Amino acid sequence: MTRTAKPACHPVPVPERHFVKYTFLEVDPAWRRLEALQRDRDKTEFAIACADFADGHLLRAFSLVGTRGDCDLMLLSQAQNLERIHEFHVVLAQSGLMKWCSVPHSYLAMTKPSEYSDESRLQVRPAHAKYLFVYPFVKSREWYGLDADERYRIMQEHIRIGREYPSIDLNTSYSFGLDDQEFVVAFETDDPADFLDLVQRLRTTEASRYTKRDTPTFTCVAASVPRALAALDGQPVAELEALR
Amino acid sequence: MTRTAKPACHPVPVPERHFVKYTFLEVDPAWRRLEALQRDRDKTEFAIACADFADGHLLRAFSLVGTRGDCDLMLLSQAQNLERIHEFHVVLAQSGLMKWCSVPHSYLAMTKPSEYSDESRLQVRPAHAKYLFVYPFVKSREWYGLDADERYRIMQEHIRIGREYPSIDLNTSYSFGLDDQEFVVAFETDDPADFLDLVQRLRTTEASRYTKRDTPTFTCVAASVPRALAALDGQPVAELEALR
Amino acid sequence: MTRTAKPACHPVPVPERHFVKYTFLEVDPAWRRLEALQRDRDKTEFAIACADFADGHLLRAFSLVGTRGDCDLMLLSQAQNLERIHEFHVVLAQSGLMKWCSVPHSYLAMTKPSEYSDESRLQVRPAHAKYLFVYPFVKSREWYGLDADERYRIMQEHIRIGREYPSIDLNTSYSFGLDDQEFVVAFETDDPADFLDLVQRLRTTEASRYTKRDTPTFTCVAASVPRALAALDGQPVAELEALR
Amino acid sequence: MTRTAKPACHPVPVPERHFVKYTFLEVDPAWRRLEALQRDRDKTEFAIACADFADGHLLRAFSLVGTRGDCDLMLLSQAQNLERIHEFHVVLAQSGLMKWCSVPHSYLAMTKPSEYSDESRLQVRPAHAKYLFVYPFVKSREWYGLDADERYRIMQEHIRIGREYPSIDLNTSYSFGLDDQEFVVAFETDDPADFLDLVQRLRTTEASRYTKRDTPTFTCVAASVPRALAALDGQPVAELEALR
Amino acid sequence: MTRTAKPACHPVPVPERHFVKYTFLEVDPAWRRLEALQRDRDKTEFAIACADFADGHLLRAFSLVGTRGDCDLMLLSQAQNLERIHEFHVVLAQSGLMKWCSVPHSYLAMTKPSEYSDESRLQVRPAHAKYLFVYPFVKSREWYGLDADERYRIMQEHIRIGREYPSIDLNTSYSFGLDDQEFVVAFETDDPADFLDLVQRLRTTEASRYTKRDTPTFTCVAASVPRALAALDGQPVAELEALR
């Protein structure tokens, strides 16, 4: 119980850290009233911008149709360089589809080794599960007033319970100073019921008392970019059928 | 007073659990300015998407015209598979009506056996009352810091009072990790005054102290899909008259 | 000080309870840019829907032009049957004016005998004062944790001070479980200065400590329906001039 | 330190009390895309409505272009009669400009003698400084739980510090029961740096602990109505040039 | 540890204090659907307004494409005179681009010597780093209830840790009474990972307990005005290519 916590990290060269960007899009209902041909063209331009970025970077797409009311599609993009994330979104903004979209939710973060666990990853992994559950996370200031050892101790219970659900995979990224939240937490699994049970069980842990904010919570349905686009208007993208 | 609470459930196969989705729609006032023929067509497409899903799944419709200002119609859909909920909303989005709608409120949840009562259901039941009262529910973290036995004891008073109002039926579903709330609570009754009295009385229970959020609260008027659609513009859907 | 509070009421037949609905409308500025003839027609349809409902039910209209920035007109409707409130709003939605309106605030409530005073009414009264001051009201959960006797004692000071302002009339209706607030409080008077002084004075009462929310607060100018409509664009409704 | 506070005032005839209305306007960017001639006409109608009211009542205009992002122009109007404030806004709403405006912020208040100071005014004064700083103000309920004498004592420190900045002038008006806030506080000065220093210094007073809300805070640039209108699109109003 | 804090400053002539304005713009997606020629003209007018102001005043531009969802471009302008900031935004509003923009975030502040450090600047410096991290900052009222010496002591830990990250530069400006926040905090660096680590580390300081609000947090990509404009639609501004 008294193992020493790793010291909070100092600026040392960590070449492998990545920027992670979650971009949630909502399509203007008016776009759905356009001709099918125009919508096809708009989606194709969007898909091409994605394919360009995906050549050399991790890019994942998710549909939120039917799970949320305030957004329709989410793109998770990753790069070692913030400039590259910026450029990708500049190109994306030129696609026909983005000319009818707003971005109701947006989270910028970086990967970073965890103070509490050796299992943390410095890269988001390629798609490997049906669902991704994402939420921005802020801890109470009381949490940060605890000793590092005490925080370490409290987190071990949290981590131990998580390990009892091996089908659920966790990616935590860090947003301190970069965005409104402190962390972006993303769980992957094929079984939402398992995940629901885990989250309910974690409510009774000591760590849970120090949660200040963990909403909005997004249930994201993993999809290829063409499939996520097809879910917007029910039409497959003709030109991109091969990629599905 | 010391009966042991059921343990928080572990990932065991629970084949009968269902996804429950509450989708609240608001129609753009501009839609009401369209020709009657166009509106009829838009509603018919919507009704057909609903009928397709209802063939094999529970689907219920409610009108909120006159009870809320921020939404007009609510669909409650249920399936054992999240993919099916997603697909239903993809098809729905292609209907003419949805091209003029926004979704100001949306709640995704699952059924689950209760820790506190043996009466919980794993399926939402078909319509059987005139009104449904729905709200997303979040308990304070203090609640989860209590012993399971203590929570069990506190909930018994809550459940006992509920039983004094036998005309009121309760469906609780669980959203931990899937959506912003912890529970979606839905009461059904023919008598709103009774329900109002019950809720006011429950304010004085011990359990009530642990409520963090129980709004927005929706009074939903049960209706067939064609009737809920007719309430949007006062016009019955010609083609669907037979279904009313 | 130890008079027993009335018990919280049980579901007994209370035939005289009414539903009360406050509907606050905001007109799209684009409506004001339409031709005068079109606006006249739009308002006439609205006024006819109101007149239909008012034949047999209480209906009151208020203007908020110049007192609020987020709404222009408020309708207070009352019926013993919720279905009737719903139907009225369905008909209203078909009027030309409502095709350019949003409903930024909406409160559904019921009348109910007070636990604390014998003066409560089970019906909203017809217009009898120049101004109505309305706000949704939520008490803290600490309030409901007090003994009924203690709550009764605390309310007596509140009621006593109110009686010192006989020109001010109070209507409290109940929303537990039906809508986001617990109560809708409505004061009527011809003298806003008096009312302001009363509210400021009530801030120092013991009861005031248990207020969780009492906003938004609306200053509503009593008007006939035609006058409230005329205030929207400065034009009297030709056909309804006789009703003013 | 034990001077008795004035008793909270009772409904006595206070003929000189005035209604004060702060109306903050935001112009739809689409208005800026109209022809110059149309914009000129729209602004002229607005200016005429203002001139009519200003004949016999206090009316002041302010520009918020460059100081806020959510509004462009503020009108402060004053009358002894609420009906007159209502009528002014009805007439204003008919001007071409208002057909492209929303009202993101609106505060209704009344003047009233202060419990704590003899210097309070029952009328807003004509323009006499370059800048007006306005915010709605709500005190915590703990404040109102203090003895009147204790509140009086605490306010004296606050007032004393204010007097050290004689170039800054204060107008407090009262909104209890009329609007969402308790007070509307308005400071006038030619020197924003002085005012900033005063507000920062007041943060350390005892009175400051009882502040519940003091935002949004508006920096308003005093202007004639024609100048405030010219700031909307950079074009002087031809017909009203003489009034500048 | 007991060095005396500088007294909170009194109105003394501080000729070098400047107004600092952060204006965050969001472009209506409909603008992206206009012809390239029109967009080029709209951006050119915007750039010319910026160039005019920049002749004699500090003006810096940043892109938020890809880092935020609620805004696209930020202008930081500085002047000794508030009237000049106002005039700049009046001229800017006349540019074609602003006729399609809203301003979702806006912060007005002034420079001021710090109570706690001798290193504070009275002017924002010209661009010298790749990224600017900006947030509005409000401290809890408990902070202001501490003795000045105690506040001084607490801030020294905060400042000492900041100095361990010499590649990160801090600009704090003051908004008391001028805008909704108390401070606008802006950090500059080429290395976001360093900055993230610093902010995370500062969470454990004593000073951090007194933070009431430090969001929204903006990651701003430094750019020339033409480059920030080009990021809006992916098109360089023809006429301004030379300035890049």
Side-chain angles (χ1 to χ4, degrees), chain C residues 62-84:
Chain C
F62 300 86
S63 179
L64 293 109
V65 176
T67 67
R68 292 284 301 185
D70 52 0
C71 48
D72 299 304
L73 188 153
M74 190 264 277
L75 287 182
L76 192 171
S77 54
Q78 183 181 283
Q80 285 189 272
N81 192 300
L82 181 52
E83 203 64 32
R84 195 65 197 87

Side-chain angles (χ1 to χ4, degrees), chain A residues 27-46:
Chain A
V27 182
D28 184 338
W31 177 78
R32 295 201 170 98
R33 304 197 292 263
L34 300 181
E35 294 294 326
L37 198 68
Q38 180 66 52
R39 283 184 277 115
D40 196 271
R41 205 179 301 142
D42 289 349
K43 293 191 292 182
T44 301
E45 291 171 8
F46 186 96

Side-chain angles (χ1 to χ4, degrees), chain E residues 10-213:
Chain E
H10 229 248
V12 293
V14 188
E16 72 273 31
R17 288 172 70 177
H18 285 74
F19 289 89
V20 187
K21 177 75 201 307
Y22 295 83
T23 301
F24 292 83
L25 306 175
E26 184 183 22
V27 183
D28 184 338
W31 178 78
R32 296 202 170 97
R33 304 196 293 263
L34 300 181
E35 294 295 325
L37 198 68
Q38 180 65 53
R39 282 184 277 115
D40 195 270
R41 206 179 300 142
D42 289 349
K43 293 192 291 183
T44 301
E45 290 171 9
F46 185 96
I48 289 170
C50 289
D52 269 6
F53 181 81
D55 181 10
H57 300 87
L58 186 135
L59 178 86
R60 295 177 58 186
F62 300 86
S63 179
L64 292 109
V65 176
T67 67
R68 293 285 300 185
D70 53 359
C71 49
D72 300 303
L73 188 153
M74 190 264 277
L75 288 182
L76 192 172
S77 54
Q78 183 181 285
Q80 285 188 271
N81 190 301
L82 181 52
E83 202 65 31
R84 195 65 196 87
I85 299 279
H86 166 67
E87 281 161 16
F88 167 50
H89 287 84
V90 168
V91 174
L92 199 65
Q94 301 171 47
S95 71
L97 182 61
M98 286 303 286
K99 293 173 181 173
W100 295 90
C101 284
S102 60
V103 182
H105 305 284
S106 162
Y107 306 116
L108 179 66
M110 293 191 79
T111 55
K112 181 172 175 173
S114 167
E115 284 183 63
Y116 308 115
S117 160
D118 296 330
E119 293 164 35
S120 70
R121 276 183 294 281
L122 292 171
Q123 266 190 269
V124 172
R125 292 197 296 174
H128 58 104
K130 282 190 192 162
Y131 304 107
L132 187 78
F133 300 91
V134 181
Y135 58 91
F137 188 34
V138 180
K139 291 188 162 178
S140 69
R141 294 293 160 117
E142 288 71 37
W143 171 254
Y144 296 103
L146 299 178
D147 277 350
D149 276 9
E150 178 72 355
R151 281 185 276 130
Y152 184 86
R153 182 188 64 75
I154 291 171
M155 285 305 290
Q156 297 315 304
E157 178 196 13
H158 186 91
I159 290 166
R160 186 179 47 71
I161 293 177
R163 284 197 190 120
E164 293 182 33
Y165 296 75
S167 67
I168 299 170
D169 217 22
L170 171 60
N171 280 289
T172 302
S173 51
Y174 295 69
S175 296
F176 293 88
L178 308 194
D179 208 335
D180 302 359
Q181 66 284 343
E182 295 178 342
F183 306 92
V184 183
V185 181
F187 291 89
E188 286 196 83
T189 184
D190 285 348
D191 186 346
D194 250 31
F195 177 62
L196 187 159
D197 293 343
L198 168 59
V199 173
Q200 186 174 9
R201 203 171 146 202
L202 289 172
R203 279 293 193 282
T204 61
T205 62
E206 199 174 347
S208 175
R209 293 184 208 164
Y210 297 99
T211 295
K212 185 173 168 192
R213 184 163 77 89

Side-chain angles (χ1 to χ4, degrees), chain B residues 28-192:
Chain B
D28 185 337
W31 178 78
R32 296 201 170 97
R33 305 197 292 263
L34 300 180
E35 294 295 325
L37 197 68
Q38 181 64 53
R39 282 184 278 116
D40 196 271
R41 205 178 302 142
D42 289 348
K43 293 191 292 182
T44 300
E45 291 171 8
F46 186 97
I48 289 170
C50 289
D52 269 7
F53 181 82
D55 181 10
H57 300 87
L58 186 135
L59 179 86
R60 294 176 58 187
F62 300 87
S63 179
L64 293 109
V65 176
T67 67
R68 292 285 299 184
D70 52 0
C71 48
D72 299 304
L73 188 153
M74 190 263 278
L75 288 182
L76 192 172
S77 53
Q78 183 181 283
Q80 285 188 271
N81 190 301
L82 181 51
E83 203 64 32
R84 195 65 196 87
I85 299 279
H86 166 68
E87 281 161 17
F88 167 49
H89 286 84
V90 168
V91 174
L92 199 65
Q94 300 171 49
S95 70
L97 183 61
M98 286 303 284
K99 294 174 181 174
W100 295 91
C101 283
S102 60
V103 182
H105 306 283
S106 162
Y107 306 116
L108 179 65
M110 293 191 80
T111 55
K112 183 173 175 171
S114 167
E115 283 183 63
Y116 309 114
S117 161
D118 295 330
E119 293 165 35
S120 71
R121 277 184 294 281
L122 292 171
Q123 266 190 269
V124 172
R125 293 197 296 174
H128 58 104
K130 282 190 193 162
Y131 304 107
L132 186 78
F133 299 92
V134 181
Y135 58 91
F137 188 34
V138 181
K139 291 189 163 178
S140 69
R141 294 292 160 117
E142 288 72 37
W143 172 254
Y144 297 103
L146 299 178
D147 277 350
D149 276 7
E150 178 73 355
R151 282 186 275 129
Y152 184 86
R153 181 188 64 75
I154 291 172
M155 285 305 290
Q156 297 317 303
E157 178 196 14
H158 185 90
I159 290 166
R160 186 179 47 72
I161 293 177
R163 285 197 190 120
E164 293 181 32
Y165 296 74
S167 68
I168 299 170
D169 216 21
L170 171 61
N171 280 289
T172 301
S173 50
Y174 295 69
S175 296
F176 292 88
L178 307 193
D179 208 335
D180 302 358
Q181 65 285 343
E182 293 178 344
F183 306 91
V184 183
V185 181
F187 291 89
E188 286 197 82
T189 185
D190 286 348
D191 186 346

